[in-house]
Amino acid sequence: MLHAELRAPYFRAFAQIKSALETGRPGGPRDIDRDDLDFHQAFADFDLEHPGLRVILRAGRHELAFGSGRLVSPREGPNVRRSFDGVSLIVAVRRVRAHLFVTRPVATRPGVFDDGWERGQWFAGAHATVPSPLPGGQVDVYALYLDRPDAEYQRGRAHERRLSLGTRWFGAAGRLDYNVEAVLQAGKFGDAPLLAWTLASDTGIALPLPWDPRLGVRLDVASGDRGGRRPMGTFSALFPKGSYFGEDALIGPANFYDVHPMLTLAPLERLSLTLDWVCLWRYSRADGIYNVPGEPILDGLDDARFIGHRAGATLEAELGRHIGFVVTVGRFFRGPFLAQAGRTRDVDFVATWLTLKF
């Protein structure tokens, strides 16, 4: 990915091209694996700034990222990042920041300069960050609207109109840090009403020990569809980060609940080691499991809830100002649901990244 920008008073133009290649994958590359050459971002900013106030009007192709990336992120992790075509208005007034946008998601296609819009999709909303009544904290509040003419879940395919209303409370108090988010979704799935929700948390404590250990736990739950004539109940994470539960990205954040303890150590200033273990269950036995983009991968064929568990370790190093190195290993152990669905083997995962930024 190469970028260039032009700056002038009240104006900024930014362009970024990308080339993402893949080789050796059984079955060939997925959409998130290959994009030979295209514009990842190409936008213009009109920027007005006064004491205590800044207003940016952005038009063109650009990334969107809100909060912890649970619902909207550039899709860090997979080979091809995500961007959107449209208009954003960003306003910062002292400790309050608001972002309003109307966009169309960009479809990743493998050729040269052929990325266009996802057919018929619109994504719009408003996101604001304000001071929290709790010491050392902040609060996100947002409304996100997604219109997809051909959405697929276990219930089937239909035109989806989904409004997500959410809030996130995050911050730190002494050695304790917290990040808690709640989302309610309503709308229509075809002719059926839609009602879904999620609760997510990531809390931890920094221990006064060598290597600066942080002991944390993530607890998450997202609704699933109960079928019949009930409202469509599968939660959609919209455009989530690519590594939701880990870099293996085998399971997506729909129709699940989990327990995810982790321990992070910093043996050196630019070196960190994270050990984690995540256990996953289905929330609704009538619904299946989904991948990270939100597509169904296994129907709810049996009454088993437990999907499986994964143990992993990730080592991250900053090798100077411009170079980063990551290695991650993990093993996903299938549970009764996957075993009854015919998945006969556990999954081993090993990956490394070498990143150069200049």
Side-chain angles (χ1 to χ4, degrees):
M1 301 178 70
L2 299 174
H3 68 264
E5 66 177 347
L6 173 67
R7 289 184 178 270
Y10 311 112
F11 178 81
R12 174 193 181 213
F14 183 89
Q16 185 176 44
I17 61 172
K18 61 184 174 184
S19 179
L21 308 177
E22 182 278 335
T23 183
R25 183 180 186 274
R30 302 162 296 179
D31 288 346
I32 59 175
D33 295 326
R34 180 182 170 189
D35 193 348
D36 289 351
L37 185 65
D38 220 304
F39 280 103
H40 178 60
Q41 298 189 87
F43 63 84
D45 279 352
F46 298 91
D47 190 344
L48 299 176
E49 188 170 4
H50 295 282
L53 172 66
R54 188 178 185 185
V55 179
I56 300 174
L57 178 62
R58 177 169 297 167
R61 179 168 297 181
H62 55 283
E63 293 182 347
L64 293 176
F66 298 130
S68 300
R70 292 188 177 110
L71 269 69
V72 184
S73 85
R75 197 168 58 191
E76 186 70 71
N79 205 31
V80 184
R81 291 170 69 94
R82 178 190 293 117
S83 55
F84 300 81
D85 285 344
V87 177
S88 286
L89 178 65
I90 305 166
V91 180
V93 183
R94 295 184 174 87
R95 297 179 62 195
V96 176
R97 178 182 173 89
H99 190 143
L100 293 82
F101 63 95
V102 178
T103 65
R104 303 194 72 168
V106 175
T108 301
R109 298 190 175 97
V112 176
F113 296 114
D114 59 350
D115 289 358
W117 295 335
E118 292 281 6
R119 187 177 64 85
Q121 290 193 29
W122 287 93
F123 183 51
H127 184 282
T129 302
V130 300
S132 170
L134 302 176
Q138 293 180 288
V139 177
D140 289 342
V141 290
Y142 53 85
L144 308 171
Y145 177 74
L146 177 62
D147 188 316
R148 295 196 298 170
D150 191 28
E152 181 182 7
Y153 299 90
Q154 178 175 301
R155 182 178 284 214
R157 289 180 177 270
H159 191 161
E160 174 187 53
R161 302 172 182 88
R162 187 180 293 253
L163 175 65
S164 303
L165 302 175
T167 183
R168 182 174 76 103
W169 294 60
F170 61 101
R175 294 185 176 276
L176 179 69
D177 61 85
Y178 61 93
N179 184 346
V180 181
E181 192 162 2
V183 184
L184 177 66
Q185 297 181 330
K188 298 280 286 185
F189 182 72
D191 295 328
L194 186 155
L195 185 62
W197 55 271
T198 189
L199 293 172
S201 68
D202 182 0
T203 56
I205 184 169
L207 303 176
L209 297 171
W211 292 10
D212 299 322
R214 177 191 181 268
L215 184 63
V217 62
R218 295 177 182 174
L219 301 172
D220 310 286
V221 56
S223 63
D225 192 25
R226 295 181 295 168
R229 296 185 178 181
R230 300 181 179 92
M232 164 62 176
T234 305
F235 175 77
S236 170
L238 305 182
F239 304 98
K241 53 188 176 184
S243 51
Y244 209 95
F245 301 112
E247 297 298 342
D248 48 5
L250 296 175
I251 306 296
N255 186 39
F256 83 100
Y257 59 92
D258 76 339
V259 177
H260 192 170
M262 58 188 62
L263 173 65
T264 301
L265 304 169
L268 300 173
E269 182 179 356
R270 294 176 176 266
L271 183 71
S272 68
L273 173 66
T274 300
L275 308 174
D276 71 312
W277 180 34
V278 57
C279 299
L280 292 158
W281 293 263
R282 286 191 300 158
Y283 178 81
S284 171
R285 289 190 176 98
D287 203 352
I289 59 174
Y290 297 77
N291 59 16
V292 174
E295 302 161 336
I297 53 178
L298 276 179
D299 292 339
L301 302 175
D302 54 65
D303 291 333
R305 281 195 189 273
F306 188 49
I307 301 169
H309 60 102
R310 178 190 57 78
T314 300
L315 182 70
E316 300 184 56
E318 294 182 28
L319 308 178
R321 181 180 177 184
H322 302 288
I323 302 175
F325 178 74
V326 178
V327 59
T328 182
V329 297
R331 183 177 180 90
F332 188 94
F333 301 88
R334 64 193 176 103
F337 174 74
L338 292 176
Q340 294 176 24
R343 301 301 172 96
T344 59
R345 296 194 298 178
D346 300 331
V347 177
D348 293 308
F349 180 82
V350 180
T352 61
W353 288 264
L354 181 64
T355 303
L356 173 65
K357 296 183 179 181
F358 61 92

